[in-house]
Amino acid sequence: MTDYAIYDVFTATALEGNPLAVVFDADHLDEARMQAIAREFNLSETVFALKPDNPVHTARLRIFTTVRELPFAGHPTVGGAIALADRRLGGAVPDAGIDMVKMLEEPIGAVRCAVRINKGGGSGFAEFDLPRLSRQLEAEIEPADIGAALGLDPQEIGFENHRVSLWSAGVPYVLIPVHDMAAAAKAECNPALWERIAPMGDGQLAYAYLYCRGGVNHKASFHARMFAPGEGVAEDPATGSAAAALSGAIHQFDGMLDGNHPLVIEQGVEMGRPSLIHLHIDCAGGQVTHVRIGGQAVRIATGKLLV
């Protein structure tokens, strides 16, 4: 039997945010069994915690969608770090809470993650250093094709200096700026059309990530939606790897000055699962030098796998 837990990530409210299954002590599971378990949970991602290759690290994480393994993903990193901290503490949290640092091994590389667990357990906040900075990839993308695949008029695509572009911080996204939240709300992804027009990046078909300024939540700097039909994800309520990719586009199109830029990205509103992703971009010498992504997570279930 193998212990697991379910967390809602990028939220402090149960049944909001992006659900994540965390399977502990998974060293005895081979890749095929992990993939089968991820299909069984049928969530956008399931993370498996194994013993680390480096004994000073906390754990090695393997992240699976329902169809394949990923090199890196944001909400499994945040949720996995909080779940591992919860499990280690076993509810023994002081009234003031506790801060911890986790070093997580993922296929993309080692990921440093700071975690704060609140009194009572089951909820916390984690923030990780981006293991790979966002970079723009070469691609010829016609706004008219994007509009056809997403049900948008070409004139609804783009705002200010922001234009459609392809970026990746480990997972590729076509970043699609739209005029406003009304345009974002009307978008619907046609899987067949998207597969036909989407570019390749980092060895895979890029996902669609729409964004505009503002949000329903007054804290939000940007409002976003993400579609990954090729992964069996009609829409994702919170996507840390997309926020990672977006950091490069924000720096380029907004002409960020040197310094620290704290931002909040709102996602999942149209799905009834609102999420808030914290994004910190550090710039020096006209370049992005450091990016951190963080968010809250709340435990909603625990159990045992009988396989």
Side-chain angles (χ1 to χ4, degrees):
M1 293 192 296
T2 307
D3 292 338
Y4 73 88
I6 306 293
Y7 281 74
D8 286 336
V9 185
F10 291 124
T11 181
T13 304
L15 308 182
E16 296 184 0
N18 198 351
L20 172 74
V22 184
V23 179
F24 302 103
D25 302 324
D27 298 86
H28 64 291
L29 299 172
D30 62 20
E31 182 174 324
R33 184 53 61 96
M34 290 182 191
Q35 187 65 77
I37 291 169
R39 286 196 300 269
E40 186 76 10
F41 278 121
N42 199 32
L43 300 175
S44 60
E45 281 136 355
T46 296
V47 61
F48 297 84
L50 299 87
K51 292 177 182 176
D53 292 330
N54 186 332
V56 303
H57 292 169
T58 305
R60 181 162 64 96
L61 300 185
R62 298 187 66 176
I63 302 164
F64 288 79
T65 70
T66 57
V67 298
R68 69 184 184 97
E69 186 172 8
L70 296 178
F72 159 73
H75 103 278
T77 301
V78 168
I82 292 171
L84 289 166
D86 277 343
R87 186 171 172 83
R88 176 184 170 185
L89 293 168
V93 182
D95 290 342
I98 190 168
D99 296 313
M100 311 171 72
V101 175
K102 301 287 183 184
M103 286 298 296
L104 305 175
E105 298 172 0
E106 298 184 18
I108 199 171
V111 182
R112 180 184 180 277
C113 196
V115 182
R116 178 165 185 80
I117 299 298
N118 300 317
K119 176 65 177 176
S123 66
F125 181 92
E127 184 178 64
F128 66 89
D129 299 323
L130 205 61
R132 182 185 298 172
L133 292 177
S134 178
R135 72 194 193 286
Q136 187 171 10
L137 306 178
E138 292 294 329
E140 299 215 2
I141 307 170
E142 293 293 334
D145 291 339
I146 295 292
L150 297 176
L152 296 171
D153 297 329
Q155 61 267 26
E156 294 177 301
I157 298 173
F159 65 81
E160 301 164 16
N161 294 328
H162 288 247
R163 297 293 179 264
V164 176
S165 53
L166 178 64
W167 294 78
S168 175
V171 180
Y173 291 90
V174 178
L175 303 183
I176 305 158
V178 295
H179 279 193
D180 52 30
M181 289 178 59
K186 68 177 280 192
E188 293 184 11
C189 185
N190 182 312
L193 279 179
W194 182 257
E195 184 174 354
R196 190 183 311 161
I197 63 100
M200 297 290 292
D202 285 343
Q204 68 171 82
L205 195 72
Y207 306 144
Y209 188 71
L210 283 75
Y211 68 99
C212 63
R213 294 204 191 275
V216 173
N217 191 300
H218 71 279
K219 298 178 182 178
S221 311
F222 292 93
H223 177 89
R225 299 180 70 186
M226 197 284 273
F227 306 97
E231 298 292 345
V233 179
E235 183 170 357
D236 197 40
T239 318
S241 59
L246 183 63
S247 65
I250 293 172
H251 175 263
Q252 175 171 302
F253 294 127
D254 283 353
M256 282 182 162
L257 300 176
D258 289 356
N260 174 256
H261 302 269
L263 303 168
V264 175
I265 299 171
E266 169 188 277
Q267 193 178 332
V269 171
E270 289 82 0
M271 303 175 66
R273 298 193 67 98
S275 310
L276 292 177
I277 300 172
H278 294 258
L279 174 66
H280 288 260
I281 304 173
D282 293 335
C283 303
Q287 302 294 322
V288 175
T289 57
H290 189 209
V291 176
R292 299 184 304 281
I293 290 176
Q296 295 174 282
V298 56
R299 186 175 62 234
I300 64 163
T302 60
K304 292 184 181 293
L305 289 170
L306 306 179
V307 294

